[in-house]
Amino acid sequence: MNRILAAGVVAALSTATAFAQDPFSWTGSYDGFVVCDHVKDGVPSTFGRALELHFVQEGDVLHIATGIDDPTIGTGTSLYHGLVMSSPAGDFTSGFIESCKSRFPYKELIRIFPAGTQTEKFGFSASTVFISDSLPGSEGALVVESCRWSATRISIEEPKIQRCDTLPSAR
């Protein structure tokens, strides 16, 4: 009887494993757009730009590299890292990310809104807050931006990006 019970448990576990989905991963490359409300030295404006994003997920940690072609400050890459959380069912994911390396000194926090993981073309939206007094071309004026990102994954291949935890310590 113990052999029959053990065989039944093994069969049940094998069946459950066969039907279990792989956990969702953010890893891949994305194309998107960012639109920002911008205040420089008390003067408001709005702008939008195309952006390219590359994500590598390790457990619940995200490493992100962005590329933005900005006519005022040129083309460059910024690095971010943060945490992602999934719903208990694994059908939604969201996160909180912060900048760790950029083309000039700034602080940026990004909140990724819950995104469904069941779609063929995974996409997400995010809201950011950006603050700097060192934005190129701003002559030292304080710049504050509130931005909205929207992006769609175009590849699930793991991109080769520099990660925040591999940067030399700034002590």
Side-chain angles (χ1 to χ4, degrees), residues 9 56 61-62 65 79 88 106 108 119 132:
V9 168
V56 174
V61 176
L62 274 184
L79 300 179
Y106 70 85
E108 186 173 16
T119 61
S132 178

Side-chain angles (χ1 to χ4, degrees), residues 55-165:
F55 287 61
V56 174
Q57 181 175 345
E58 296 173 333
D60 62 353
V61 176
L62 274 184
H63 303 279
I64 305 170
T66 64
I68 297 178
D69 188 9
D70 184 331
T72 60
I73 59 175
T75 301
T77 299
S78 295
L79 300 179
Y80 303 83
H81 67 220
L83 298 174
V84 289
M85 289 102 4
S86 294
S87 66
D91 55 348
F92 285 94
T93 183
S94 63
F96 182 76
I97 315 299
E98 68 179 329
S99 60
C100 66
K101 177 193 171 279
S102 65
R103 297 168 282 166
F104 53 89
Y106 70 85
K107 186 68 176 171
E108 186 173 16
L109 301 175
I110 304 168
R111 172 71 170 105
I112 299 173
F113 290 96
T117 60
Q118 307 302 309
T119 61
E120 186 177 323
K121 286 285 258 182
F122 176 71
F124 71 96
S125 65
S127 181
T128 73
V129 176
F130 168 100
I131 300 172
S132 178
D133 61 1
S134 301
L135 182 71
S138 69
E139 293 82 37
L142 183 64
V143 175
V144 179
E145 294 175 357
S146 174
C147 303
R148 186 71 172 203
W149 297 16
S150 178
T152 302
R153 183 162 48 194
I154 57 171
S155 168
I156 60 170
E157 297 299 317
E158 183 170 331
K160 303 293 183 218
I161 63 171
Q162 186 175 21
R163 299 177 184 172
C164 294
D165 56 2

